[in-house]
Structure formats: C-alpha cells, structure tokens
C-alpha cells in the first residue's frame, strides 16, 4: 500500500522547489477535480510506494480562497499519512500560524524550516531542538534551493507515516477557551474520529460556515459561543486568532534569536531601488524591453525562423549535412506509398501546415519562458505585481492581473492559465476575459500585414495596436466593475515578497519546459482538429450540383466560400463585407496566424511571407485604409484563437461564463471596429449614413457607462447627503 505525504506551507516558502527536488521527473500535473487550481503529485525518488502531494500555497486553513478550500478538503477528506510542513525560516512567526492549524488535524507532522542558509547569513539563530520540544513534532533544517537537509526531512516524514502515530497538538488556549472546546468536543460524539475532534471544535467556535454546514447533526453550540464571547468580550474567531498568536509569540521568544545589529539585507537594499515610487516603472520597462528584445527580436526570432523555414520548411543544415524539413519528408513518404491525392492534401496542406504554423513559434516562446521563469524564481515578479497594483486598482483590477497580461503578450494560452494566481474569483474571471486584448505573438503578422499593405509600413500602426488593447482592458475594468457580476472593490493585495536569490538552472529549465509542453499539448490538439476542418472546407465544394474535391481556381465553389458569403453581410458596417475578409477573420479563430495565410490562398498565392508582403498590393486594392484598420482592430479584440478559447473554457470551469467571456470580447470588437470605420470614413470622405448615427450613439453609450457612478458610489452620495441634511 502506498504512503501519501502532503507538502503544506505558505506561498513562496520554497515548497515547489522542495517538491521538484524530492520527485525529480516523477511528476504528474493536472487540475483538482472540479476546480482550476493546479494539482501536482509525484513519487519520491527511490521510493515507488511514496507519493508526494504538493498542496497549493496557503496562509491558513480558513476557506477564503480557492487554494485554501482545496488544501483543507484534501487534508480532511483524503487524510494523508503525514504532512511535511515547509516553513520559511526568514519569516518564521507568520509561517507558524498555519503550522498550529495543521497540528490540530491529528495527522503526523514533520516541520522543515527552509532557507536556513539565508537565516545564518542574516546572523539570526533558530534553536531547532527547543522548537521541536515546544511544537511536539520533529523539526529539520533544510535549504530547498541548495538541496541540503531535504533527504533527511523526507526520511523522517516516511518514518512517521509508517508508524501511524496520531498527530497530537501540544499547544493550549486560555482556560476559558479550553473549557468551551472540551464541551464542543463532547457534543461531536463518535461520528468524528478522536484525532479530528479538536480541529472541528475550533472551526465550530470560529463560526466556519462550511464546517457548520457539514456538521448539521451536531447539537447547537451557540450557547458555548455566546458564553465565551461574553466572558472575553470579543467574537470567537478573533479570540482564537489572538490565542494562536500569543502561543506563537511565546515560541518565538524562546526559540528564535535575532541578530541585534540592525542592518538592511541585500533584498531590502535592492527593493529600495526597484520598488521606488519613481524608479519602479522605468526599471520595469527597461527589464521588459530587454526580455522582449532578446526573445522576440533577436534569439527568439532566429530560433523561430529556423523552425519555420527549416524544420517546417524546405530543410536545414546540421553539422554540414542538409536535413530536409518535415513537409519534404512527409511528401516523399506519401508519394512513395502512393497515397491518394485527397489524403496527401489533408496531411500536407492541413495537418503539417496547420500544426507546423503553431509549433514554429515554440522556440520563440521557450526563450520568453526562460526569462519569465528567471524573473519569477528570483523574486522580481512578485515586486512587479506590487508595483502595478497601485495603477490597476484604479480600473477595478488587482495588481496580480498584470502578470497574466504580460505573459499573454507572448501567447494568450499561458497568459490565461497564469490567472490562477488571483485569489478573488471576480478579479480572476475579469482578468481571463481581458488578457487576450493585449496583442500576442500570433497577432503580429496581422499587424505587419495591415501596416505594410495599407499604411506603407508606418511606425505608428504597431504601437497603436497595443494602445487599443490596453484601452480595451482599462475601459472593460471600469465598466464591468459597475455590473452586478463584478461589483465590489478588488480583493486586498496580499503577496509575500520573498528574498531575492539566484535560481538554479534546473528549476528554470523545468519551469520553461512545463509551460512549453503544456502549450504544445493544448494548442497542438486543438489546432490539429481545426486545421482538418478548415482544409476540408477549403478543398471541397459543389460544382454543377455535385459535391467533389476542388481543383485550382475553383475556390469560389468551396464550402468556405459559401460560409463566407452567407455571413459577410454582418461585417459590411465595419467596411470589409466581402466574403474573403470574412473567411480570413473566421480562420483567425483557429489560429491568428491563419489570417495572413488565408489571404494568401484566397488572393492566389500558395505561400506567403510572415508579413504577407506578396499580397500587399492586392489587399490594398480591395480595402480602404480605414476599413483595413477596422479589420485589424476587430481581429485584435474579438474572441481569441481556439487554443486560447479552450484555455478560457478550462479556467472558467463553467459553460455560461465561457460563452459570456467570448460573447463580450466579440461584441466589444464589433462595436469598436464599427465606430472606427464609420467615424473614420466620415472624417476622410464625408460619408454619412444610418450606421454613422449608430456609431455616435454607441460612443455616447460607451462614455455614459464609463462615467456613470456605480451602485456603491450612489449609496455613498446618498449617505453623505443625509449627513449634510441632518447637520
């Protein structure tokens, strides 16, 4: 029978680093059943029967966040054989709050005090033996980053799990509290195991709604609650919290010796600069410029060009040998086996071309992920969220929303997935809905196409695209916060700022690979299915009443052409009501890179460059500059690619919310594009019509939604008026 050991600790205590060190490559990553919180488990190195479960980083077992609910439910219902409690030695007092709760669960606990190398460097001293005696559990010194002490901690956890000893909390509350706890424990009867009674009794005293709902059969404990609140003149939740900190303070007083020479740590000195009120944003801008210059403009672009032109193109040179690309190899194999024309077209023009277009961007993304992994692991990204919170809160978003949007500028899929770090459900949903407004790497070819074909490569087109995305996020935050679904202030920003440290190469590479492989799996499967559909719709249609595979020059008879013609009227008010533009926008839902490729096929070019330079003249002849910019805005703001929509569906974990998010994005894109075209045409040509009136009406309504007071502001104004009237 396998042994289950749960890793529990506060965020940024080094838990994930320890988990990676203990399990190596024996990891399994997924989601907890029914929720989007990541579930990590793995087998302990050298022990096939020992399963390590990495619980989400939490501050307490009170169910305020999704992570805390998941962690508590697992510990109560699954009841692992032991808990390895990771404690940040540089901030031990705050970390011990969770430790006191874990010990009340009746599960054997081994405490691993992490970052001891930093503690010693700071000149502080933790008396491990005395701490062990006070807590009633074994305590081990470790450094997860350097790998010291981690094997000893794992062995002790396995040992206590095998002994099946019950965890017994040794700390006591005040006599008044203890007497009430004893009374409540008696009322729990035999339905609750003895080792869990103390935890449930404390939670009932704290008026924990979830535990109260679970314990409906327990006799009413309100008498005991009223009695203790009357005796101690406070509510029971505050009493219990205060008692915990009194107990923790007594432990710290005896077990922790702080360096008496007060001096700033290296992290404090760095923070004086990078979180400075005036320097923080310029420093961040420089850091991000370097990251994107290297990953998007130089090394990343070289790697992506090599993948697109070599691996998924004609071929590449390796150690002096000419290696043919995947399409060339596949074509040779299919020709050799005498494959049917339609199947050969499906494999080469559908699967290889479609999936290859996405996988070709993977090298660029991997370079970007390495930089982001380094910035996160060294502790800088936590500071960025802190810096941006001051700005984002003005628009109804949390500072943590900035990180998903930053990652989303590379690719929307990992950007959407990064929203998991946001505790507040409303803020998380709003972040998911708005993250893809920032132009991702796949939208850059569309920007290059419009800029080159209609605006002579003007420098301002690309920056304006990012400005449109940022403006959409800001306006959405202001408007949506005034609706019932998103009403309320952003959740208080609470994030541990870990000490700066140099991350290990293996951890950076592992983080990069996890993100990259997740993208390859999720995007690859969706793209594979969608490209088959697009290929079929492009190469089959009706001629003289017969359904058949089409030849060159018969594209107007394809299923895709019929579909485009049937919906093109929808886009007429936006200035691009021809079926080819409509089809390009639809195929862009599969993958945004498809927009340029679709134009190339529809305008008679079998292959086009990434910026579509071959079709600039043809496209310029079919669109006005205003219509082209309207087309660009629509594709920037509308529902993202299938891969990103799949990520939205998974993260929302609710079909109604998913359709609301996609519907909102598409509606906003349509409204903004309509206003751009109608007002732009009025200014440039003087044309005025019914849709121009509609555009002015939409702009007026949009401004009203931006400036109208929210329900809370109205109530506040009413209250102030009443106070003024009373005076």
């Amino acid at each position: 029978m396998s042994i289950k050991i749960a890793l529990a600790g506060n965020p940024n205590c080094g838990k994930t680093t320890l988990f990676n060190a203990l399990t190596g490559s024996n990891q399994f990553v997924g989601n907890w059943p029914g929720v989007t919180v990541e579930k990590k488990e793995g087998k302990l190195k050298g022990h096939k029967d020992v399963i390590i479960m990495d619980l989400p980083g939490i501050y307490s077992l009170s169910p305020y966040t999704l992570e805390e609910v998941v962690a508590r439910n697992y510990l109560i219902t699954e009841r692992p054989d032991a808990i390895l409690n990771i404690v940040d030695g540089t901030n031990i007092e705050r970390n011990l709050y969770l430790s006191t709760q874990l010990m009340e669960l009746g599960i054997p606990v081994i405490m691993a005090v992490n970052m001891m190398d930093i503690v010693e460097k700071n000149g502080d001293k933790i008396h491990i033996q005395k701490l062990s005696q006070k807590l009633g559990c074994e305590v081990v010194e470790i450094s997860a980053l350097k790998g010291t002490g981690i094997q000893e901690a794992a062995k002790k956890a396995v040992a206590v799990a095998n002994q099946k000893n019950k965890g017994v909390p040794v700390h006591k509350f005040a006599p008044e509290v203890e007497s009430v706890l004893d009374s409540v424990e008696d009322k729990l009867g035999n339905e609750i195991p003895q080792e869990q009674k103390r935890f449930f009794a404390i939670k009932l005293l704290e008026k924990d709604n979830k535990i109260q709902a679970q314990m409906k059969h327990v006799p009413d404990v309100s008498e005991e609650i009223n009695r203790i609140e009357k005796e101690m003149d406070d509510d029971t939740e505050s009493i219990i919290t205060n008692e915990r900190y009194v107990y923790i303070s007594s432990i710290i007083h005896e077990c922790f010796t702080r360096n008496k020479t007060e001096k700033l740590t290296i992290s404090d000195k760095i923070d004086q600069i990078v979180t400075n009120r005036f320097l923080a944003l310029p420093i961040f801008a420089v850091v991000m410029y370097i990251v994107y210059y290297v990953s998007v403009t130089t090394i990343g672009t070289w790697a992506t060009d090599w993948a697109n032109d070599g691996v998924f193109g004609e071929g590449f040179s390796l150690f002096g040998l000419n290696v043919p690309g995947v399409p060339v190899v596949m074509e040779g194999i299919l020709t050799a086996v005498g494959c049917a024309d339609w199947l050969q077209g499906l494999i080469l023009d559908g699967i290889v071309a479609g999936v290859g277009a996405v996988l070709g961007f993977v090298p660029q993304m991997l370079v970007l992920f390495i930089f982001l992994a380094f910035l996160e692991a060294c502790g800088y990204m936590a500071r960025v969220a802190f810096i941006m919170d001051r700005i984002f809160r003005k628009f109804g978003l949390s500072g943590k929303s900035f990180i998903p949007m930053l990652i989303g500028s590379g690719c929307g899929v990992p950007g959407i997935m990064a929203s998991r770090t946001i505790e507040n459900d409303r803020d998380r949903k709003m972040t998911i809905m708005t993250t893809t407004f920032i132009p991702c790497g796949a939208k850059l070819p569309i920007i290059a196409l419009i800029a080159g074909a209609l605006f002579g490569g003007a420098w301002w087109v690309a920056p304006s695209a990012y400005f449109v995305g940022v403006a959409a996020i800001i306006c959405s935050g202001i408007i949506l916060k005034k609706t019932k679904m998103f009403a309320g202030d952003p959740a208080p920003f609470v994030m541990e700022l870990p000490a700066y440290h140099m991350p290990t190469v293996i951890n950076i590479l592992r983080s990069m690979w996890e993100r990259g492989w997740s993208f390859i799996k999720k995007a690859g499967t969706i793209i594979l299915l969608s490209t088959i559909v697009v290929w079929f719709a492009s190469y089959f249609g009706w001629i003289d009443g017969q359904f058949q595979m089409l030849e060159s020059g018969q594209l107007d008879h394809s299923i895709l052409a019929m579909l485009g013609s049937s919906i093109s009227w929808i886009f007429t008010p936006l200035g691009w009501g021809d079926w080819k533009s409509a089809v390009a926008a639809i195929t862009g839902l599969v993958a945004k890179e498809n927009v340029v490729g679709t134009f190339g096929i529809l305008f008679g070019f079998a292959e086009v460059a990434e910026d579509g330079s071959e079709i600039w003249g043809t496209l310029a002849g079919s669109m006005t500059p205003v219509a082209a910019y309207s087309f660009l805005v629509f594709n920037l703001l509308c529902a993202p690619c299938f891969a990103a929509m799949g990520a939205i569906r998974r993260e929302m974990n609710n079909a109604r919310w998913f359709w609301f998010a996609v519907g909102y994005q598409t509606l906003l894109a349509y409204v903004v594009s309509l206003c751009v075209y109608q007002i732009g045409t009025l200014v440039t040509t003087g044309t005025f019509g019914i849709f121009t009136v509609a555009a002015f009406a939409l702009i007026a309504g949009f401004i009203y939604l931006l400036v109208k007071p929210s329900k809370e502001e109205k109530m506040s104004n009413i209250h102030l008026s009443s106070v003024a009237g009373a005076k």
Side-chain angles (χ1 to χ4, degrees):
M1 187 174 176
S2 61
I3 295 172
K4 290 184 179 180
I5 298 175
L7 299 186
N10 289 184
N12 293 311
C13 68
K15 185 167 51 63
T16 301
T17 304
L18 177 62
F19 174 74
N20 291 335
L22 292 177
T23 60
S25 59
N26 305 316
Q27 299 178 11
F28 309 93
V29 182
N31 280 352
W32 293 88
V35 294
T36 58
V37 176
E38 195 170 75
K39 177 183 184 180
K40 278 188 177 182
E41 64 177 89
K43 292 183 179 179
L44 181 64
K45 289 179 182 177
H47 297 76
K48 293 183 179 179
D49 60 339
V50 179
I51 296 174
I52 307 290
M53 178 64 72
D54 184 17
L55 296 180
I58 56 174
Y59 291 105
S60 75
L61 291 180
S62 302
Y64 297 126
T65 70
L66 196 57
E67 286 86 353
E68 289 172 343
V69 172
V70 165
R72 192 173 80 168
N73 287 349
Y74 175 79
L75 292 171
I76 292 175
T77 58
E78 297 291 328
R79 292 197 62 77
D81 299 295
I83 297 174
L84 188 53
N85 176 211
I86 298 88
V87 169
D88 178 0
T90 63
N91 203 344
I92 191 168
E93 185 169 3
R94 178 189 47 71
N95 280 238
L96 285 179
Y97 189 90
L98 174 64
S99 301
T100 61
Q101 293 183 315
L102 293 175
M103 292 171 191
E104 289 158 1
L105 292 168
I107 301 171
V109 176
I110 296 293
M111 179 178 289
V113 182
N114 192 21
M115 305 185 192
M116 286 302 296
D117 52 329
I118 300 176
V119 172
E120 293 172 4
K121 192 174 181 180
N122 292 340
D124 299 332
K125 177 69 176 176
I126 298 176
H127 307 283
I128 297 298
Q129 292 299 325
K130 195 174 288 186
L131 183 62
S132 177
Q133 292 172 5
K134 286 285 185 182
L135 293 172
C137 70
E138 289 200 65
V139 181
V140 185
E141 296 183 8
I142 70 167
S143 173
L145 190 64
K146 296 186 176 181
T148 56
I150 62 174
Q151 293 303 325
E152 182 187 357
K155 287 178 182 177
K156 287 183 180 294
V158 172
V160 297
N162 280 322
Q163 292 170 6
K164 302 296 182 184
N165 292 335
K166 303 299 182 185
V168 180
V170 296
H171 74 278
K172 297 288 183 181
F173 295 115
E176 302 94 330
V177 179
E178 285 293 331
S179 65
V180 174
L181 282 174
D182 291 338
S183 173
V184 176
E185 284 186 54
D186 290 339
K187 289 187 175 184
L188 292 176
N190 297 321
E191 294 188 41
I192 299 296
Q194 187 63 39
E195 63 270 15
Q196 293 188 42
K197 282 187 176 180
R198 186 172 180 85
F199 174 78
F200 278 91
I202 291 173
K203 284 298 167 187
L204 287 171
L205 243 65
E206 289 182 325
K207 292 179 273 193
D208 187 321
N209 293 330
K210 292 187 180 293
I211 292 294
Q212 286 177 339
Q214 187 178 340
M215 307 290 294
K216 286 182 179 178
H217 63 282
V218 176
D220 187 27
V221 296
S222 58
E223 270 186 45
E224 285 80 1
I225 291 174
N226 291 334
R227 176 158 57 88
I228 192 172
E229 287 183 342
K230 189 174 182 180
E231 282 184 32
M232 304 190 75
D233 193 27
D234 204 349
D235 66 277
T236 49
E237 186 175 3
S238 299
I239 292 168
I240 295 290
T241 301
N242 183 63
E243 290 282 320
R244 286 193 197 282
Y245 278 115
V246 169
Y247 171 68
I248 291 168
S249 296
S250 68
I251 292 177
I252 296 299
H253 179 71
E254 295 188 38
C255 304
F256 181 74
T257 304
R258 187 177 297 279
N259 185 1
K260 292 183 179 178
T261 58
E262 292 291 335
K263 62 178 183 178
L264 291 176
T265 64
I266 294 176
S267 290
D268 292 333
K269 291 176 181 177
I270 296 174
D271 279 341
Q272 284 183 332
I273 300 173
V274 300
T275 62
N276 181 276
R277 190 176 190 86
F278 303 104
L279 296 177
L281 286 178
I283 290 173
F284 172 68
V286 171
V287 170
M288 286 299 102
Y289 173 79
I290 295 172
V291 168
Y292 280 94
Y293 179 77
V294 174
S295 57
V296 177
T297 307
T298 55
I299 296 176
T301 299
W302 300 336
T304 293
D305 288 344
W306 173 79
N308 284 327
D309 301 333
V311 179
F312 296 104
E314 294 298 319
F316 57 95
S317 179
L318 182 65
F319 302 118
L321 298 175
N322 292 323
V323 181
V326 174
V328 176
V329 173
M330 289 301 300
E331 186 175 8
I333 294 173
L334 295 174
T335 302
V337 299
C339 185
D341 290 344
W342 70 267
L343 183 57
Q344 187 168 335
L346 170 61
I347 295 173
L348 294 178
D349 300 328
I351 297 173
V352 174
V355 177
V358 177
L359 296 183
F361 285 92
V362 169
Q364 194 176 59
M365 293 179 61
L366 293 181
V367 175
L368 178 62
F369 288 159
I370 286 177
F371 278 102
L372 294 178
F374 176 83
L375 293 174
E376 288 174 1
C378 75
Y380 182 65
M381 275 304 188
R383 272 80 179 175
V384 172
F386 169 74
I387 293 165
M388 298 305 296
D389 185 63
R390 289 192 299 243
I391 300 172
F392 271 51
R393 288 185 71 84
K394 296 178 181 178
F395 309 122
L397 290 168
S398 164
K400 288 187 178 181
S401 301
F402 179 74
I403 295 175
M405 293 170 187
L406 177 65
I407 297 173
S409 63
C411 176
V413 175
I416 292 164
M417 292 167 64
S419 65
R420 296 175 178 181
T421 59
I422 302 171
E423 295 88 353
N424 185 282
D425 189 57
R426 292 192 308 266
D427 294 349
R428 188 168 59 84
K429 283 185 168 67
M430 188 186 296
T431 302
I432 292 170
M433 289 175 58
T434 56
T435 291
T436 55
F437 288 151
I438 293 291
C440 64
K443 294 176 183 177
L444 295 182
I446 308 175
I447 298 172
L449 172 66
I450 300 301
L454 278 302
F455 297 99
W459 66 268
W460 57 267
V461 177
S464 71
Y466 282 89
F467 173 77
V468 168
V470 172
I473 291 171
I474 292 173
C475 293
S476 295
I478 295 172
I479 292 172
L480 291 175
K481 269 296 179 181
K482 295 176 181 179
T483 65
K484 187 176 181 180
M485 292 183 295
F486 296 98
D489 293 329
F493 185 78
V494 179
M495 177 179 277
E496 183 68 19
L497 296 181
Y500 288 103
H501 60 270
M502 185 62 68
T504 61
V505 174
I506 190 67
N507 284 337
I508 290 177
L509 293 178
R510 180 181 282 118
S511 175
M512 176 270 291
W513 177 246
E514 284 180 359
R515 286 176 172 176
W517 181 239
S518 176
F519 170 78
I520 292 170
K521 287 190 298 182
K522 290 180 173 65
T525 51
I526 294 171
I527 292 294
L528 175 62
L529 295 174
S530 59
T531 49
I532 292 173
V533 173
V534 172
W535 172 86
F536 181 81
S538 302
Y539 283 83
F540 284 84
W542 284 268
I543 295 181
D544 298 328
Q546 289 188 338
F547 184 74
Q548 62 186 53
M549 186 173 183
L550 304 177
E551 298 178 1
S552 178
Q554 296 180 325
L555 188 62
D556 286 345
H557 300 281
S558 67
I559 298 173
L560 204 61
M562 293 178 63
L563 176 63
S565 299
S566 65
I567 64 169
S568 59
W569 59 271
I570 298 174
F571 304 107
T572 300
L574 310 187
W576 38 281
D578 62 302
W579 75 266
K580 292 182 178 180
S581 298
V583 165
I586 292 171
T587 57
L589 295 177
V590 179
K592 293 301 178 182
E593 305 94 322
N594 284 349
V595 172
V596 177
T598 301
F599 272 134
I601 295 171
L602 298 181
F603 289 144
F605 292 87
E607 294 184 7
V608 293
E610 192 172 277
D611 63 355
S613 54
E614 292 87 348
I615 59 174
W616 283 5
T618 310
L619 183 62
S622 65
M623 278 189 187
T624 65
V626 176
Y629 198 80
S630 167
F631 179 83
L632 173 63
V633 168
F634 182 84
N635 281 277
L636 292 177
L637 300 182
C638 77
C641 64
F642 281 3
M645 282 194 275
I648 292 174
R649 176 66 181 86
R650 283 188 297 274
E651 297 305 310
M652 289 294 194
N653 203 31
N654 182 293
R656 290 172 60 188
W657 271 104
F658 164 72
W659 287 113
F660 174 75
V662 171
Y664 174 79
Q665 292 167 339
T666 306
L667 179 62
L668 180 66
Y670 192 92
V671 169
V672 176
S673 297
L674 185 145
C675 293
V676 166
Y677 177 70
Q678 295 297 331
I679 304 301
T681 303
L682 176 64
V683 172
T684 56
T685 65
T687 303
F688 189 90
I690 185 64
F691 288 114
T692 313
V693 176
F696 278 112
L698 288 170
I699 291 173
F702 198 72
I703 294 173
Y704 170 73
L705 291 174
L706 285 174
V707 300
K708 81 163 187 173
S710 63
K711 187 177 179 181
E712 289 81 2
E713 291 172 328
K714 286 181 180 178
M715 294 301 293
S716 176
N717 291 336
I718 292 172
H719 175 71
L720 291 173
S721 299
S722 301
V723 171
K727 289 181 179 180

